[in-house]
Amino acid sequence: MVLYFVGLGLADEKDITVRGLEAVRKCKRVYLEAYTSILLVPKKQLEAFYGRDVIIADREMVETAADDILADANHVDVAFLVVGDPFGATTHTDLQLRAHALGIETKVIHNASIMNAVGCCGLQLYRFGEAVSIVFFTDEWRPDSFYDRILANRQQGLHTLCLLDIKVKEPSMESLARGKPVYQPPRYMTVNQAVEQLLEIEEHRQQNAYGPDTFCVGLSRVGADSQQMQAGPMRDLLHAELGAPLHSFVIVGQMHPIEAEMMESLTSKISMSPESSSHA
């Protein structure tokens, strides 16, 4: 019997591969990892298409109750579904290692992730450096450790894919202090919020990793019919209107002439908000 790690792609229930769908339909239990990314359709839509009930696996289950996922997986087939690719933006090697320790066979069925689909904006994938994650600031915590990686990429002329924070089933600090977690509404970082935080960090660090005039690309709902992209100076993307989540962001490095032509084409097609147009 097998524990399948199945990539779902980026948009909806039909982005799963044929091989992935065949695996899911023969599994006794199907889990959906639901804290590192989201699909743009509800769980019931997946269940109708896959022909299987889907169990939501939040961070707490995956990190502290993995035994529930692995239970009987050496006797029945189990699927662990991941938006994008199973080992794309985040890895689930810990669950895989636990399965191996129990003698459970694992198989990985790959799919598109933002790590390769970002090429839709016209920037060449082999010209990207290390990706970084941008997390929500709080009053007490304003992390900037990723800044050094952006700086290193820029010094080498490489593009930087910024993966923007999502908060799903996050307990409030007050409720944790009381010993009874109360979960906050989901939050998804926008390109606008990411740019605002990035500019604040640059103002503090002042090492010229980027600035208001740095050319960037904002993307939303990559892979969906409603996909949007806007390109331009970072200051303009403070006011970009990219709609519903999920958003991603690219800080552009040195461009190949073909990339520059693609960026010029993209910039000429974007529709900026009235407020951002005033900066042009």
Side-chain angles (χ1 to χ4, degrees):
M1 297 294 102
V2 177
L3 171 64
Y4 290 95
F5 290 81
V6 181
L8 297 184
L10 293 169
D12 59 32
E13 75 281 9
K14 294 182 181 178
D15 278 357
I16 192 170
T17 64
V18 173
R19 186 163 166 247
L21 183 59
E22 289 175 346
V24 168
R25 286 181 171 168
K26 68 179 183 179
C27 286
K28 183 173 181 180
R29 297 197 312 279
V30 178
Y31 295 89
L32 172 63
E33 188 264 82
Y35 62 91
T36 60
S37 190
I38 58 168
L39 284 182
L40 306 180
V41 294
K43 176 173 77 85
K44 63 181 181 181
Q45 205 160 313
L46 273 64
E47 291 175 327
F49 189 70
Y50 299 161
R52 288 290 182 274
D53 291 336
V54 173
I55 303 165
I56 296 296
D58 59 22
R59 184 188 300 273
E60 185 177 351
M61 173 181 279
V62 176
E63 292 183 352
T64 66
D67 290 345
D68 294 341
I69 298 172
L70 298 174
D72 297 327
N74 50 354
H75 301 295
V76 299
D77 290 323
V78 176
F80 185 73
L81 311 182
V82 182
V83 177
D85 185 84
F87 301 108
T90 187
T91 64
H92 295 289
T93 50
D94 182 65
L95 185 61
Q96 191 176 40
L97 287 170
R98 287 172 181 250
H100 291 169
L102 294 171
I104 298 169
E105 182 183 359
T106 65
K107 290 185 179 180
V108 180
I109 301 176
H110 295 284
N111 208 322
S113 79
I114 190 60
M115 302 295 284
N116 54 27
V118 68
C120 67
C121 71
L123 298 173
Q124 298 168 2
L125 292 179
Y126 69 89
R127 298 176 68 85
F128 277 77
E130 185 176 357
V132 302
S133 295
I134 312 295
V135 301
F136 282 112
F137 280 175
T138 69
D139 292 339
E140 300 81 20
W141 190 53
R142 307 177 91 74
D144 64 357
S145 58
F146 54 81
Y147 180 91
D148 296 319
R149 281 174 282 163
I150 296 175
L151 178 61
N153 286 346
R154 294 272 291 166
Q155 288 172 338
Q156 297 177 71
L158 301 174
H159 315 311
T160 304
L161 171 61
C162 301
L163 305 172
L164 307 189
D165 199 9
I166 73 172
K167 299 290 188 186
V168 179
K169 201 177 178 182
E170 292 282 334
S172 66
M173 295 303 295
E174 296 81 3
S175 69
L176 286 176
R178 291 194 297 267
K180 187 175 182 180
V182 175
Y183 298 106
Q184 303 178 81
R187 288 193 299 153
Y188 307 97
M189 184 179 286
T190 65
V191 163
N192 320 83
Q193 292 169 316
V195 172
E196 184 177 8
Q197 292 188 183
L198 284 163
L199 289 175
E200 179 181 322
I201 290 171
E202 177 57 54
E203 186 176 356
H204 172 69
R205 296 287 294 266
Q206 295 189 2
Q207 293 176 259
N208 298 315
Y210 51 80
D213 294 324
T214 301
F215 197 83
C216 300
V217 183
L219 307 95
S220 62
R221 300 174 304 286
V222 171
D225 290 340
S226 61
Q227 171 181 298
Q228 291 188 34
M229 293 181 283
Q230 293 190 8
M234 192 176 282
R235 62 160 55 89
D236 283 356
L237 292 179
L238 267 172
H239 310 289
E241 295 183 342
L242 291 165
L246 293 171
H247 289 197
S248 301
F249 186 66
V250 179
I251 299 173
V252 178
Q254 184 176 349
M255 287 188 281
H256 184 278
I258 293 178
E259 291 178 305
E261 186 176 348
M262 286 293 296
M263 289 299 100
E264 183 178 353
S265 172
L266 179 59
T267 305
S268 68
K269 293 178 182 178
I270 65 174
S271 94
M272 302 292 288
S273 67
E275 185 175 3
S276 65
S277 300
S278 65
H279 294 287

